[in-house]
Amino acid sequence: MIDTIIFDFGDIFINLDKQTTISKLKQLGLTEWNAELDRLNLLFETGDISPELFIAGFMKELPNASREEILDAWNSILADFPLYRLEFLQMLSKKYRLFLLSNTDSIHIETFENRSGISFYSDFYQCFEKVYFSFEIGMRKPNADVFQYLIKKHELSPKRTLFVDDKKENTDSAASLGFNVWNLQVGQEDVVDLFEKNII
């Protein structure tokens, strides 16, 4: 009997346009996404470097790009957040304990909040018992420690908890700890199909 659901954010509720970000970075002179950018992104997602240092790292890779152009490219990944998903979540919140667990950074969250407006993002956050962003807690999926942190802090029972994420390495990690999982296939499935999956 599932009584708790932990959701990812990107491509579960808010649609992501990863290709546009890569295209825009290429227009700014990026030849390929390299190990240094990977390292920067991981450090930024766990809150280990500031937005200023993150942007400075990109400017080193893209010497002809301005701060504003890099920010525009970085934030172009954030697409729409359909209202019907929020309404579905509000319905779910009346029946289940809900948590949000997202690998993300402060720039993306600030941009999401600014674009969606306080009324929308407040309604969204209020659906959850607690919202966890990787940059705030210093941990990220698929590392087991972030799941163990939630289990301990909220006295969760993995066998009564469903974890929903679009990345297989994240759902595999959660499954290895005893969670029920749904590895949502972006473009083929939608979070509102939850009850049709017969996992809850």
Side-chain angles (χ1 to χ4, degrees):
M1 173 74 178
I2 303 286
D3 58 22
T4 304
I5 312 172
I6 303 169
F7 288 104
D8 178 32
F9 182 30
D11 269 338
I12 301 297
F13 294 110
I14 190 170
N15 291 319
L16 300 182
D17 186 352
K18 297 167 187 167
Q19 204 42 57
T20 297
T21 289
I22 295 297
S23 299
K24 287 197 171 192
L25 288 172
K26 282 182 175 170
Q27 285 166 19
L28 297 176
L30 186 71
T31 48
E32 63 169 358
W33 184 274
N34 58 34
E36 177 56 25
L37 293 178
D38 240 358
R39 190 185 73 85
L40 266 179
N41 186 44
L42 287 174
L43 287 170
F44 195 32
E45 278 194 351
T46 49
D48 291 314
I49 57 171
S50 66
E52 291 70 31
L53 279 175
F54 177 70
I55 297 296
F58 261 90
M59 291 180 85
K60 209 181 291 179
E61 300 284 322
L62 302 168
N64 298 319
S66 69
R67 185 178 188 277
E68 287 67 32
E69 286 172 326
I70 290 168
L71 276 172
D72 175 65
W74 189 245
N75 286 321
S76 65
I77 192 172
L78 301 173
D80 62 314
F81 185 146
L83 180 61
Y84 70 85
R85 289 185 187 151
L86 174 60
E87 291 167 345
F88 175 71
L89 193 62
Q90 288 170 323
M91 178 272 289
L92 272 187
S93 69
K94 295 179 174 70
K95 302 174 183 175
Y96 299 91
R97 294 178 72 188
L98 302 182
F99 297 89
L100 190 71
L101 178 62
S102 174
N103 288 349
T104 189
D105 62 68
S106 55
I107 290 175
H108 280 159
I109 293 306
E110 187 181 335
T111 302
F112 157 66
E113 291 177 356
N114 288 338
R115 286 182 187 170
S116 61
I118 190 164
S119 171
F120 187 91
Y121 79 72
S122 295
D123 285 351
F124 175 56
Y125 293 157
Q126 280 165 14
C127 292
F128 302 99
E129 194 171 313
K130 185 78 175 157
V131 169
Y132 288 107
F133 295 132
S134 59
F135 74 92
E136 291 179 332
I137 57 175
M139 292 178 274
R140 68 191 296 285
K141 302 168 290 186
N143 299 340
D145 60 349
V146 73
F147 296 109
Q148 287 158 344
Y149 177 75
L150 264 71
I151 290 169
K152 194 172 176 187
K153 196 165 175 63
H154 299 285
E155 298 180 341
L156 303 183
S157 163
K159 69 174 184 291
R160 293 206 305 273
T161 303
L162 174 67
F163 173 62
V164 181
D165 198 294
D166 62 303
K167 291 194 170 64
K168 192 170 186 305
E169 64 264 29
N170 296 340
T171 51
D172 284 352
S173 177
S176 73
L177 294 169
F179 286 93
N180 299 275
V181 299
W182 175 19
N183 176 215
L184 186 147
Q185 304 302 300
V186 179
Q188 299 168 40
E189 299 175 314
D190 194 298
V191 70
V192 299
D193 303 333
L194 178 63
F195 292 106
E196 293 164 29
K197 304 303 291 182
N198 293 322
I199 45 177
I200 198 162

